Amino acid sequence: MIDFLDVARASCESSLQVKAEFVKQGLEDVIEAADALAGAFARGGKVLVFGNGGSAADAQHLAAELVNRFILERPPLPALALTTDTSIITAIGNDYSFDEVFSKQVKALGEKGDIALGISTSGSSANVLLALEAAKEKGLFTMGLTGQKQGGMTSLCDILISAPSLETPRIQEVHGLVVHLLCELVDLKLFGHSQ
């Protein structure tokens, strides 16, 4: 007989443990990323965010919080999730390869002074890596959110924020926290006050 309370408690404890470890080792990277984002916005740049599956949801979450608002009432900030235009994604996937769905958008929309932020729990998603390569070639500042393995993202990201776990759910839970931290810190840096 499965004790569902024990299962739920164990998952929560695992999540809390990974987040506690991240607080010990990852917050400086988050602050550095928030500095870079705030600087890009202050100079008229934008952020292009991309990932697959749950990471696509995280990309859209970050873009929504920046364009609309997080907690503060403040002007919209320029952010694009490259995961949302099904016509572009399916055209590229059909005519070329799913591996190119983000890189072609980075090539079309990215400009020097912008930030490309790739999200991959494994660090090895081919379309995320190709988009980061394209961003580097165009002179964009590159950032990544990943897990403990980091994969090919290590050499492609100017700032890489890693969740200290090999389990996708735990990594995604840290990424959700990072999205909120970035929004809060960017607001503070640009608008000088918090909630």
Coordinates of all heavy atoms in Angstrom, one line a residue, residues 49-64 81 83 119 121 145 171-177 179:
V49 N 14.4 34.5 -24.7 CA 14.5 33.3 -23.8 C 13.9 32.1 -24.5 O 12.9 32.2 -25.2 CB 13.6 33.6 -22.5 CG1 14.1 32.7 -21.4 CG2 13.7 35.0 -22.1
F50 N 14.5 30.9 -24.3 CA 14.1 29.7 -25.0 C 14.4 28.5 -24.2 O 15.4 28.4 -23.4 CB 14.7 29.7 -26.4 CG 16.2 30.1 -26.4 CD1 17.1 29.1 -26.3 CD2 16.5 31.4 -26.5 CE1 18.5 29.5 -26.3 CE2 17.9 31.8 -26.5 CZ 18.9 30.8 -26.4
G51 N 13.6 27.4 -24.5 CA 13.8 26.1 -23.9 C 12.7 25.2 -24.3 O 11.8 25.6 -25.1
N52 N 12.8 23.9 -24.0 CA 11.8 22.9 -24.4 C 11.0 22.4 -23.2 O 11.5 22.3 -22.1 CB 12.6 21.7 -25.0 CG 13.4 22.1 -26.2 OD1 12.9 22.4 -27.3 ND2 14.7 22.1 -26.0
G53 N 9.7 22.1 -23.5 CA 8.9 21.5 -22.5 C 8.7 22.4 -21.3 O 8.3 23.5 -21.4
G54 N 9.0 21.8 -20.1 CA 8.9 22.7 -18.9 C 9.8 23.9 -18.9 O 9.5 24.9 -18.4
S55 N 10.9 23.8 -19.6 CA 11.8 24.9 -19.8 C 11.2 26.0 -20.7 O 11.5 27.2 -20.6 CB 13.2 24.5 -20.3 OG 13.8 23.6 -19.4
A56 N 10.4 25.5 -21.7 CA 9.6 26.5 -22.5 C 8.7 27.3 -21.6 O 8.5 28.5 -21.8 CB 8.9 25.8 -23.6
A57 N 8.0 26.6 -20.7 CA 7.1 27.2 -19.8 C 7.9 28.2 -18.9 O 7.4 29.3 -18.7 CB 6.4 26.2 -18.9
D58 N 9.1 27.9 -18.5 CA 9.9 28.8 -17.7 C 10.3 30.0 -18.5 O 10.3 31.2 -18.0 CB 11.1 28.1 -17.1 CG 10.8 27.1 -16.0 OD1 9.8 27.3 -15.3 OD2 11.6 26.2 -15.8
A59 N 10.6 29.8 -19.8 CA 11.0 30.9 -20.7 C 9.8 31.9 -20.8 O 9.9 33.1 -20.7 CB 11.4 30.4 -22.0
Q60 N 8.6 31.3 -21.0 CA 7.4 32.1 -21.2 C 7.1 32.8 -19.8 O 6.6 34.0 -19.8 CB 6.2 31.3 -21.6 CG 6.4 30.8 -23.1 CD 5.5 29.7 -23.5 OE1 6.0 28.9 -24.4 NE2 4.4 29.6 -23.0
H61 N 7.3 32.2 -18.7 CA 7.0 32.8 -17.4 C 7.9 34.0 -17.2 O 7.4 35.1 -16.8 CB 7.3 31.7 -16.4 CG 7.0 32.1 -15.0 ND1 7.2 31.3 -13.9 CD2 6.6 33.3 -14.4 CE1 6.9 31.9 -12.8 NE2 6.5 33.1 -13.1
L62 N 9.2 33.8 -17.5 CA 10.1 35.0 -17.3 C 9.7 36.1 -18.2 O 9.7 37.3 -17.8 CB 11.6 34.5 -17.6 CG 12.6 35.6 -17.5 CD1 12.7 36.3 -16.1 CD2 14.0 35.1 -17.9
A63 N 9.4 35.8 -19.5 CA 9.1 36.9 -20.4 C 7.8 37.6 -20.0 O 7.7 38.9 -20.0 CB 8.9 36.3 -21.8
A64 N 6.8 36.8 -19.5 CA 5.6 37.4 -19.0 C 5.8 38.4 -17.9 O 5.2 39.5 -17.8 CB 4.6 36.3 -18.7
A81 N 9.8 35.3 -25.5 CA 10.0 33.9 -25.4 C 9.9 33.3 -26.8 O 8.9 33.5 -27.5 CB 8.9 33.3 -24.5
T83 N 9.5 30.5 -27.8 CA 8.7 29.3 -27.7 C 7.3 29.4 -28.1 O 6.6 28.4 -28.1 CB 8.8 28.7 -26.3 OG1 8.3 29.7 -25.4 CG2 10.2 28.4 -25.9
I119 N 17.4 27.8 -21.6 CA 17.1 26.9 -20.5 C 17.1 25.5 -20.9 O 16.3 25.1 -21.8 CB 15.7 27.3 -19.9 CG1 15.7 28.9 -19.6 CG2 15.4 26.6 -18.6 CD1 14.3 29.3 -19.1
T121 N 17.4 21.6 -18.7 CA 17.7 20.9 -17.5 C 18.9 20.0 -17.6 O 19.7 19.8 -16.7 CB 16.5 20.1 -17.0 OG1 16.1 19.2 -18.0 CG2 15.3 21.0 -16.7
L145 N 20.3 28.5 -17.9 CA 19.8 27.9 -16.6 C 19.8 26.4 -17.0 O 19.3 25.9 -18.0 CB 18.3 28.2 -16.3 CG 18.0 29.7 -16.0 CD1 16.5 29.8 -15.7 CD2 18.8 30.2 -14.8
I171 N 15.3 20.3 -10.6 CA 16.0 21.3 -11.4 C 15.0 22.4 -11.8 O 15.2 23.6 -11.6 CB 16.7 20.7 -12.7 CG1 17.8 19.8 -12.3 CG2 17.2 21.8 -13.6 CD1 18.3 18.9 -13.4
Q172 N 13.8 21.9 -12.3 CA 12.8 22.9 -12.7 C 12.3 23.7 -11.6 O 11.9 24.9 -11.7 CB 11.7 22.2 -13.4 CG 12.1 21.6 -14.8 CD 11.0 20.8 -15.4 OE1 10.2 20.1 -14.7 NE2 11.0 20.7 -16.7
E173 N 12.2 23.1 -10.4 CA 11.8 23.9 -9.2 C 12.7 25.0 -8.8 O 12.3 26.1 -8.5 CB 11.5 22.9 -8.0 CG 10.3 22.1 -8.2 CD 10.3 20.8 -7.4 OE1 11.2 20.5 -6.6 OE2 9.4 20.0 -7.7
V174 N 14.0 24.7 -9.0 CA 15.0 25.8 -8.8 C 14.9 26.8 -9.9 O 15.0 28.0 -9.6 CB 16.5 25.2 -8.7 CG1 17.5 26.3 -8.7 CG2 16.6 24.3 -7.5
H175 N 14.7 26.4 -11.1 CA 14.6 27.4 -12.2 C 13.4 28.3 -12.0 O 13.5 29.5 -12.3 CB 14.5 26.6 -13.5 CG 15.7 26.0 -14.0 ND1 15.8 25.3 -15.1 CD2 17.0 26.0 -13.4 CE1 17.1 24.8 -15.3 NE2 17.8 25.2 -14.3
G176 N 12.3 27.8 -11.4 CA 11.2 28.6 -11.1 C 11.5 29.7 -10.1 O 11.1 30.8 -10.2
L177 N 12.3 29.3 -9.1 CA 12.8 30.2 -8.1 C 13.7 31.3 -8.7 O 13.6 32.5 -8.4 CB 13.5 29.4 -7.0 CG 14.2 30.3 -5.9 CD1 13.2 31.1 -5.1 CD2 15.0 29.4 -5.0
V179 N 13.7 32.3 -11.8 CA 12.9 33.3 -12.6 C 12.4 34.4 -11.7 O 12.5 35.6 -12.0 CB 11.7 32.5 -13.3 CG1 10.7 33.5 -13.8 CG2 12.3 31.7 -14.5

